[in-house]
Amino acid sequence: MPGADPFAPDSRHHPDLPDSVRSARRPVTEEQSRRANGPDWDRYADEYQATHGAFLGDVGFVWGPEGLTEAEAGMLGDLSELAGRDVLEVGSGAGQCSRWVRAHGGRAVGLDLSYRQLQHSRRIDDETGVRVPSVLGTATHLPFADASFDVVFSSFGALQFVREIDAAVAETARVLRPGGRFAFSITHPTRWMFPDDPSEAGLVASQSYWDRTPYVEVDDATGEVTYAEHHRTLGDWVSLLAGAGFALTTLLEPEWPAGHDRVWGGWSGVRGAITPGTAILGADLVTHLQGKQGPTSLPSTQT
């Protein structure tokens, strides 16, 4: 990986950084994150769908590289109750998960920062006949009215790429109806201690779990941030959810299935047999906590 950080955290993983691009751990703003990640996903969307599309399924709901499906996990609630519910997928990509929801009777809508990913969503709509209404937007400014949805979810979607995560969680609470469900999967926070390497070399802790400094890629020729990913601890997520009026009900840490030989960035059977790579959190919006101020501020970035 020319120019890559050997101690970078698990991420979507750029296998071949150009020589002009270097990786680093440094603070970035929400604007820098957004300006970097939208175009980055536009550039990467074709490769991503070609590489992972069959694993995800055109009408499929997979929570992470381990292959745990929503049918198995039940993070959105009882499948029999999904029909007729209004559902928002934040960071929907090509809409595979939302298409699965619609195939089971839910009224799913997608939102993504990448225009190219949404073009792939439209392509798969046409190929499958299962259409997902989708909009271009960001998790920190959801273009929907208050109390519009029964469920909001994100399967390795926007949340890791957002700097102002408190705003994103507050927006989720705003568009959910009382008692609504919020579920999302992320890189397991403990993985930020390890190199982004699917081999045995990726099993040696090399940096602090509490170092929340973002992982970024910078174009030396322009000085522009071209990719940014943000780390929060499990405790941070609990505080964020509680502060926005959510009650955490579920935390899944999927084990790597026997015989599953897929390698996806830093995820592999070698690592998955020993340490979790994915965390899936589920929470309900508790009506009597709505509007209550909570501990939404995260600790200062460490350098």
Side-chain angles (χ1 to χ4, degrees), residues 191 194 200 203 255-256 268-277:
R191 290 288 281 269
F194 300 97
E200 288 83 355
L203 292 171
E255 294 187 45
W256 195 267
S268 69
V270 171
R271 301 180 75 186
I274 296 175
T275 183

Side-chain angles (χ1 to χ4, degrees), residues 230-254:
H230 301 270
H231 166 52
R232 287 99 194 179
T233 68
L234 285 173
D236 291 339
W237 283 112
V238 171
S239 294
L240 283 161
L241 292 168
F246 289 98
L248 181 67
T249 64
T250 316
L251 171 59
L252 300 183
E253 300 165 295

Side-chain angles (χ1 to χ4, degrees), residues 205-227:
S206 56
Q207 54 200 22
S208 171
Y209 172 70
W210 295 279
D211 183 356
R212 298 168 178 86
T213 310
Y215 168 79
V216 301
E217 293 169 5
V218 181
D219 189 327
D220 279 334
T222 64
E224 291 291 321
V225 175
T226 60
Y227 178 81

Side-chain angles (χ1 to χ4, degrees), residues 64 163 233 281:
R163 169 66 183 89
T233 68
L281 292 85

Side-chain angles (χ1 to χ4, degrees), residues 241-247 284-294:
L241 292 168
F246 289 98
D284 295 329
L285 188 62
V286 183
T287 304
H288 71 272
L289 291 182
Q290 286 184 286
K292 179 180 177 181
Q293 295 299 312

